[in-house]
Amino acid sequence: MAKTDPAAAVIAAASALDDPDARTAARARWATGRAMYELAENSEAIEMLSSAASIAPEVGLRQRIETSLAAALGASGQTDSARARLAAIEAEPADDFVAALASSQTALLDLGGGDITRARERLRAAIPLLLAEPTALDAAARALGNLGNCEMVLGNLTEASDRYEHAIRLGREHGETIVAIGCQQNLGYVAMLRGDYPLALAALDDARAAYEGIDAPSRNFSTLFHDLAEVRRLAGLGPESVDAATISLSIVVDGGNTERIAEARYQLALCCLDDGRVAEARQMASLADEAFRAASRTLWSQRCALIELESVIADPAPDTETLDRAARSIGGLVELGWTSLAVRISNGVAFAAWKSGDVSAARHLAAVPTPDHQLPILDALELEFRDAILATSEGSDPMPALRRGRVLVSEHGNRLRDPELRARATRLGHRFRQLGLGSAIERGEAEMALGVEEMWRRNAGPARLISAADPQVAAAAETLRRYVVEHPDHAVSVDESAEIHRLEHELRRRSFRSSHDLERATVDGDFDPSDLVARLGGRHLVELFDVREELWAVDVGGGSMTLRRIGPTEVVLAEADQLRRRLGRLLRPGLTPARLETRWGQLVVDARRFAERIGIAQLRGDVVIAPTPSLRAVPWSLVTLDIGAVTVAPDATTWARGVERVVLDDVGVLIGPRLEHGEADGAELLRRFSGVTVVSGAQSTGRALADLAGRTQLLHIAAHGEFRSDNAWFSALELADGPFTLYDLEDVAAPDLVTLAACDTGRTAVDGAELTGVAPAWIHAGSRRVLAPICPVPDLEASTFAGRYYRALIGSSPERALRAVLVESLDNEVIERATAAAFVTYGCDIGLVSNGQEDASE
């Protein structure tokens, strides 16, 4: 009985509704009633199914129909009647299958009534019997989907995913298309609960496309867009979340259910609030509050009142009257005994007052009584934040509270399961950092600003790298690699692209299963600027950070430390992005030599202007740049062409943990597939060093890469690379056995020096509080320095560049070798200059690189 399109099922069964054969007519009415139920036409479904049951000529058929009737009764709110019918069937079932069918339907009522454990027990007992009946696998698919719902509500996300996937397979095979799509939607919700927003959005988008293909009922679309709005909001996609919530609201408005409309308005208020639409958020919350009060739904009414307070927090400049009203509301929370909530809200409002310059109001709002019981992690964080606000507003030192807050976020924040709680922890961390930096700027204390920024930066590397030793993760990664190798042209095939997408989802899902209990390795101790100054010697370090949408810098050099404002962050980011894009255009074919020269000249001018923009043009000598994550992919060697050699560091602390000398006893070269000039890289290294191992062709696998990395001090990888802006964890190197992603790096022993002669491997992305990308992943895996390009580079010129770089490296440092190649290339063709400018050397300080064999001979 195919139910791909419920409306079509109604039409198909119409001719047999009054068939002279009672069995045929009963089945036709049963099919019609079930289709009406799928279309949410519950009254019509009940009438049709009652009619079908009344004419069914045999007990087994009648009881099957009555289980469907019970579902429609339950959906219309007549749960007592539904339970009575099902209890009668279970008391005298026609056979074991009918008993299982009735039990699974009763479980659905238990689930709706909140008895999740009982529902799960019933479904676990019923599903094996349903699966054993070949003609009823559609019912088994529905039961599996409901069991998945039970597991999800109970927090068993792994089991929920398995049940949903089983239900999807059965649903697609046996006509339960809406069940299959619904379970696909629920898989997206499970991904959201894990905090895997890219996977959640992809799953929900797939479900939306599938619903549109069958003209699904409006209730399916309303819940889908509700979920989409929630995921987009948590993922920080403000405008898109508002759009989805608006669509969900418009659908439920058409349905006329007052309470569902209020719930949709409440969600839209949340989305507007997160998107900065404060006035709209207040309006929606007010309308929802009226409906909830009328329905005596006190808890939801209180939630709407909280949006008013949250809107004050989001207001960039709340006036005195608004702050006074917020203070009264916070006092009401304290009187109700909601002290923890009062602390959280008062902190947010106090932070808004502090940002607006009302220090007195900030101090008053932050003075909420401390709860006298053991606090959960987020409440403890809020109290530390309160202490930091009070210290700042009173002119005392906020650093002790900031340090305690950073420890709490670092050690405990990643353990939070609920995505809303993780989002709160991330927002709190951002507020801690902003408060500390803002306080340092107000005081004009460069050392304090650098200390705050270092405190938050040095634990921002990828903490969720997954162990490939986990058999499920290893199997998922191997399946993905094998498919990519077997379908090299997948980008031109819709079906094959979809399969790649699905396999990536599976790897992410498996990895979250094995990683959600992993703890982040934290860096202990305070930042010591004296160590940094001593390490710098005659060099300069510039660390960039943004506060209140303004870019600032701390300059360290010449024994002093200064704090200065650069300008609007948005303007600087736009100029940096333009630099990278213009450099990338020079490396693409199609321009005449004259046009190349003209564009190169303009690029050099733009790079000098950028140096002036960030205030480093006057410097002379070697420089260390510790940029914000969004400014990593800048051609820094070109920007500092008139200044000196440049090292790009993740943070000052990491850079200062350098070494005086790296001795290259063993060198590894891995040459990936489809590189026309890759062998030249190996030949050049063989000429420069004696202990060189070259792996190429079919041998250039992930296992070979790991082997080379574990026994060499320098690893040169020449391969095609891909940066995934949608999900930096799948940024990859193309190897003979498929893509080598960040997931594959966990069990790799990183060498001191890594050269990535692979496109875009120098680019980075920020995932929550973590910095991800191929180059940062190698640094956090243990490498001291990574050389990588920030845009696509041609094979031949990359190979030529590598030869010149290694010739300059021995007896020098990576940054000075890179500068030497760039200066040398200025007399060559534009494409050689642009290739050298595309590479960035990234990591900690290295005084000197030497050849181990030459050292031994000396």
Side-chain angles (χ1 to χ4, degrees), residues 611-737:
E612 293 171 358
R613 162 71 72 182
I614 63 172
I616 63 172
Q618 78 285 357
L619 299 177
R620 289 297 178 270
D622 293 351
V623 62
V624 180
I625 303 288
T628 63
S630 300
L631 290 173
R632 298 286 171 88
V634 170
W636 286 108
S637 294
L638 189 60
V639 171
T640 60
L641 183 62
D642 298 331
I643 300 170
V646 61
T647 301
V648 179
D651 51 78
T653 306
T654 299
W655 179 85
R657 289 197 177 115
V659 294
E660 295 301 327
R661 188 185 189 96
V662 170
V663 179
L664 302 181
D665 292 314
D666 296 290
V667 175
V669 182
L670 186 137
I671 303 165
R674 301 192 306 112
L675 283 182
E676 184 179 352
H677 304 284
E679 297 295 340
D681 293 17
E684 179 62 33
L685 282 161
L686 284 168
R687 283 195 294 272
R688 299 288 164 197
F689 305 96
S690 56
V692 179
T693 303
V694 180
V695 176
S696 62
Q699 305 304 312
S700 60
T701 63
R703 182 172 297 179
L705 187 152
D707 176 65
L708 285 175
R711 57 188 178 87
T712 60
Q713 294 80 48
L714 165 62
L715 176 61
H716 176 97
I717 304 173
H720 289 291
E722 178 187 19
F723 174 74
R724 288 281 295 274
S725 58
D726 63 320
N727 185 353
W729 286 91
F730 282 106
S731 297
L733 300 168
E734 181 186 328
L735 302 184
D737 60 341

Side-chain angles (χ1 to χ4, degrees), residues 71-132:
L73 288 168
S76 65
Q78 302 177 53
T79 53
D80 290 342
S81 178
R83 284 188 181 277
R85 287 181 179 273
L86 292 169
I89 295 172
E90 290 187 84
E92 296 184 45
D95 51 44
D96 289 344
F97 165 72
V98 171
L101 198 61
S103 182
S104 68
Q105 195 59 55
T106 304
L108 182 59
L109 296 176
D110 291 337
L111 181 60
D115 193 349
I116 311 303
T117 303
R118 179 59 178 155
R120 180 172 64 170
E121 290 173 358
R122 284 183 175 275
L123 289 166
R124 283 179 170 177
I127 285 172
L129 295 172
L130 297 177
L131 289 171

